[in-house]
Amino acid sequence: MTRAEAKAGQLVRAGAAHVIATDHDDLADRVKDITGGEGARIVFDSIGGPGLTQLAQLVARDGALIVYGWLDPRPAPLPMNCPLNVHGYGVHHVFQDPDRTRRAHAFITAGLRTGALAPVIGRAFDLSAIADAHRHMEANGQVGKIIATVRH
């Protein structure tokens, strides 16, 4: 899912089987179309807030809603479309536990080494151009991560 239809082609070329552009598509209708009316087995949300309610309604029976960010601090009422499995994660969940931190580091390092994890770099900026990087991010045209490099 993306907010901008202009990104859809890039996401398909990057390997997405389906792309929903919320500035063009009705999210609920597209999820129903793609899943044959069943809903999505797993829904990831990094935003939270009131939009979480609609996402929860798109989860298939016995599916999972995984919330891993809370960029919108407003309340997020959840519908009771049971059985709905909701899992919340935060960075502190991992980094406050040394064993979890070690396992996460090993998983990510191994994935990067083998190529199983291949992050997409959208654009790199020198740290001296961080304001340009922020403007680029705010324009919402990027696909992939925006990197700030530091010269040593």
Side-chain angles (χ1 to χ4, degrees):
M1 180 174 76
T2 180
R3 290 178 287 177
E5 185 178 17
K7 292 183 181 182
Q10 295 175 64
L11 294 169
V12 169
R13 286 188 295 280
H18 304 278
V19 177
I20 301 171
T22 59
D23 69 348
H24 177 265
D25 301 318
D26 180 272
L27 180 60
D29 288 345
R30 286 290 292 134
V31 169
K32 287 177 187 173
D33 289 345
I34 293 166
T35 65
E38 296 295 319
R41 289 184 22 225
I42 301 174
V43 173
F44 292 91
D45 181 45
S46 64
I47 307 298
L52 190 63
T53 305
Q54 180 187 24
L55 293 178
Q57 293 169 335
L58 300 175
V59 178
R61 181 174 178 80
D62 292 318
L65 173 62
I66 300 173
V67 183
Y68 63 96
W70 210 263
L71 295 174
D72 186 338
R74 295 176 294 168
L78 289 175
M80 297 308 294
N81 54 328
C82 295
L84 172 65
N85 302 296
V86 180
H87 305 275
Y89 296 97
V91 70
H92 299 294
H93 180 76
V94 173
F95 290 112
Q96 288 177 343
D97 180 327
D99 188 51
R100 276 195 177 117
T101 302
R102 181 192 54 71
R103 289 192 328 258
H105 183 269
F107 176 83
I108 292 168
T109 302
L112 291 171
R113 188 179 323 106
T114 65
L117 296 177
V120 175
I121 307 301
R123 188 163 167 200
F125 292 83
D126 188 80
L127 186 59
S128 65
I130 198 67
D132 293 333
H134 203 275
R135 281 189 285 277
H136 180 67
M137 179 183 66
E138 288 175 341
N140 193 33
Q142 80 280 359
V143 172
K145 298 300 177 188
I146 299 169
I147 305 296
T149 59
V150 179
R151 284 183 258 160
H152 293 275

